């Protein structure tokens, strides 16, 4: 008698939806045998889906007894969900240490023969929480600054106009110096207000962008300003494709970061050993916020300066926060705004002798 072909159950037909998640997911039997793994787990472990589904998930767990106990407890209907922290072994070349992850084991059908194991990278969870917090803070800050700038503009114009009229009525030319001070300071505040409002005024002009053209433009501008004592080195990945974005905004974002680096490198520039490195790389399976992207651009801007002071590291992207006297504290704020408008993130890692700003932007 011929055997009937095995057709996947409705739940099995929908397992491919797990590929859209930003976390690692496996569907397993109570003994740990893999029935399905999503693309994120493939990428993290470094083996294909076909290979992983021929083996047990227990092989990749640093504490397999803990995972097996959780699977069997759920199969026996003792719990509906179990959570614990462990680590995941990987076959990726160069991955010598297991990856710390948070395991969530859940039931997915009434037969208890198929169990869902979700693994969240602990560092990824921390990073997502930080990104959400930073995004929320920057949104509130931008709204506050924009409203404040609008409130300042009108009285500022009145002060300047009154000073000009007063200058015409003063009997002594010497007294005109005081009105000129008022006009000069009003103009300086007006310029500051214009910079605060700049990201909201300019339209987002989208076109095909080559990140290396952006880097080369910034490099030429900086070397024209600092012709001696500064090296701006390139370390490009030529395989990075073009993407849709606002070229001028990205130039301004990178230029602001590089300018900040140059100001921090003032002493090294005087000694002739200042160095900035522009490094581009492609990163795969990147999570930005709560969204997973197959490919992303990473632009690292590294300098050999003294580093960001510890007291400023958590606040360097806030408006009007500056580490140097006379600085407006707007350069990094605008850079963050422009990167976020490209669905990207910007982070800073700093220590004496090495500061790296990392810009991550999704690729098509």
């Amino acid at each position: 008698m011929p055997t009937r072909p095995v057709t996947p159950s409705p739940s099995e037909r929908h397992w491919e939806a797990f590929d859209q998640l930003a976390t690692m997911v496996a569907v397993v039997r109570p003994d740990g045998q893999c029935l399905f793994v999503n693309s994120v787990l493939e990428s993290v472990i470094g083996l294909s889906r076909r290979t992983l589904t021929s083996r047990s998930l227990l092989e990749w767990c640093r504490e397999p007894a803990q995972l097996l106990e959780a699977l069997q407890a759920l199969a026996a209907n003792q719990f509906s969900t179990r959570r614990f922290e462990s680590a995941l072994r990987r076959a990726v070349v160069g991955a010598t240490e297991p990856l710390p992850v948070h395991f969530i084991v859940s039931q997915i059908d009434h037969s208890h023969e198929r169990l869902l194991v979700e693994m969240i990278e602990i560092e990824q969870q921390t990073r997502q929480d930080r990104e959400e917090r930073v995004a929320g803070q920057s949104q509130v800050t931008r709204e506050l600054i924009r409203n404040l700038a609008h409130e300042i503009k009108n009285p500022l114009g009145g002060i300047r106009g009154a000073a000009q009229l007063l200058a015409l009525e003063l009997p002594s030319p010497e007294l005109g110096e005081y009105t000129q001070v008022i006009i000069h300071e009003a103009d300086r505040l007006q310029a500051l207000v214009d910079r605060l409002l700049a990201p909201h005024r300019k339209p987002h002009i989208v076109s095909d962008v080559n990140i290396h053209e952006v880097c080369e433009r910034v490099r030429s501008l900086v070397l024209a300003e600092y012709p001696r004592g500064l090296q701006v080195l390139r370390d490009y990945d030529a395989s990075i494709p073009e993407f849709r974005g606002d070229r001028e905004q990205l130039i301004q974002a990178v230029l602001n970061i590089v300018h900040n680096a140059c100001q921090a490198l003032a002493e090294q520039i005087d000694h002739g050993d200042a160095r900035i490195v522009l490094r581009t790389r492609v990163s795969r399976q990147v999570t930005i916020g709560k969204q997973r992207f197959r490919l992303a651009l990473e632009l690292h801007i590294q300098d050999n300066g003294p580093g960001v002071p510890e007291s400023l590291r958590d606040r360097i992207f806030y408006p009007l926060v500056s580490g140097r006297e006379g600085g407006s504290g707007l350069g990094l704020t605008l850079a963050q705004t422009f990167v976020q408008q490209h669905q990207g993130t910007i982070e800073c890692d700093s220590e004496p002798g090495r500061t790296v700003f990392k810009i991550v932007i999704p690729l098509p």
Side-chain angles (χ1 to χ4, degrees):
M1 181 176 178
T3 58
R4 294 177 58 189
V6 178
T7 57
S9 68
S11 61
E12 291 174 339
R13 288 197 294 270
H14 291 93
W15 286 349
E16 285 76 9
F18 292 136
D19 283 333
Q20 306 305 314
L21 296 179
T23 54
M24 298 168 276
V25 171
V27 179
V28 301
R29 292 196 179 101
D31 62 0
Q33 175 65 41
C34 291
L35 300 172
F36 174 85
V37 299
N38 74 342
S39 57
V40 180
L41 186 55
E42 281 185 283
S43 176
V44 170
I45 291 183
L47 294 175
S48 69
R49 181 174 296 170
R50 179 187 294 272
T51 301
L52 290 173
T53 51
S54 67
R55 299 164 70 170
S56 171
L57 186 62
L58 301 176
E59 295 180 40
W60 306 105
C61 182
R62 188 173 62 185
E63 287 89 13
Q66 191 175 16
L67 176 57
L68 181 60
E69 180 188 359
L71 292 172
Q72 292 179 344
L74 265 73
N77 209 25
Q78 296 175 10
F79 306 96
S80 60
T81 302
R82 284 286 290 272
R83 293 172 176 261
F84 61 92
E85 290 186 0
S86 183
L88 205 61
R89 296 189 177 92
R90 293 177 288 173
V92 178
V93 175
T96 57
E97 294 294 325
L99 181 71
V101 294
H102 182 80
F103 281 81
I104 306 173
V105 187
S106 309
Q107 298 174 345
I108 57 173
D109 59 29
H110 298 296
S111 70
H112 308 313
E113 288 302 312
R114 298 177 179 87
L115 301 168
L116 181 70
V117 182
E118 184 177 12
M119 292 148 280
I120 304 173
E121 184 182 343
I122 292 175
E123 183 181 344
Q124 173 185 323
Q125 186 65 51
T126 304
R127 186 172 63 249
Q128 285 180 0
D129 293 343
R130 183 174 65 249
E131 287 175 359
E132 288 181 15
R133 185 172 64 253
V134 168
Q137 288 174 342
S138 60
Q139 179 64 30
V140 170
T141 302
R142 282 198 299 270
E143 289 299 319
L144 175 63
I145 291 295
R146 184 169 61 177
N147 293 336
L148 182 61
H150 279 299
E151 291 298 320
I152 292 173
K153 273 183 70 72
N154 292 334
L156 199 58
I159 292 171
R160 191 184 194 285
Q164 289 176 313
L165 292 174
L166 181 60
L168 297 175
E169 299 294 330
L170 291 175
S172 169
E174 290 78 11
L175 296 176
E177 293 180 10
Y178 298 110
T179 58
Q180 286 304 311
V181 170
I182 297 173
I183 292 170
H184 174 74
E185 292 302 308
D187 288 343
R188 190 171 66 85
L189 286 174
Q190 181 65 54
L192 177 62
V193 169
D194 288 341
R195 289 190 66 195
L196 289 170
L197 293 173
H200 309 282
R201 283 179 169 171
K202 294 181 180 178
H204 195 54
I205 302 173
V206 177
S207 61
D208 289 333
V209 177
N210 183 317
I211 191 60
H212 300 130
E213 291 179 359
V214 171
C215 292
E216 286 299 297
R217 175 63 175 160
V218 170
R219 184 175 183 273
S220 63
L221 290 171
V222 171
L223 289 178
E225 187 175 350
Y226 298 91
R228 287 183 295 275
L230 173 67
Q231 284 184 296
V232 182
L233 306 177
R234 312 172 179 97
D235 182 5
Y236 296 161
D237 180 350
S239 69
I240 296 176
E242 292 187 345
F243 59 95
R244 301 291 289 173
D246 189 318
R247 184 175 181 271
E248 294 304 316
Q249 281 191 355
L250 290 173
I251 289 174
Q252 190 63 58
V254 177
L255 184 61
N256 286 358
I257 296 171
V258 174
H259 259 151
N260 266 32
C262 292
Q263 289 158 0
L265 287 165
E267 188 173 332
Q268 281 92 337
I269 291 174
D270 290 340
H271 294 154
D273 60 355
R275 186 174 66 255
I276 295 174
V277 181
L278 302 176
R279 181 179 298 111
T280 60
R281 294 290 185 268
V282 170
S283 186
R284 289 172 172 77
Q285 301 300 335
V286 174
T287 302
I288 301 177
K290 292 185 176 179
Q291 190 170 356
R292 190 78 173 184
F293 296 95
R294 187 177 62 87
L295 291 176
L297 155 73
E298 285 191 5
L299 170 58
H300 299 248
I301 303 166
Q302 179 177 330
D303 70 69
N304 64 333
V308 179
E310 185 73 35
S311 59
L312 293 180
R313 288 180 191 173
D314 293 335
R315 302 183 293 123
I316 56 172
F317 294 108
Y318 289 4
L320 310 180
V321 173
S322 177
R324 61 186 179 87
E325 188 174 349
S328 67
L330 291 177
L332 293 180
T333 302
L334 294 177
Q336 183 188 56
T337 299
F338 292 147
V339 170
Q340 287 178 342
Q341 288 177 354
H342 289 78
Q343 293 184 282
T345 63
I346 178 171
E347 298 177 352
C348 175
D349 179 29
S350 183
E351 60 186 32
R354 180 183 176 274
T355 296
V356 181
F357 281 85
K358 182 174 77 171
I359 295 173
V360 182
I361 295 175
L363 290 173

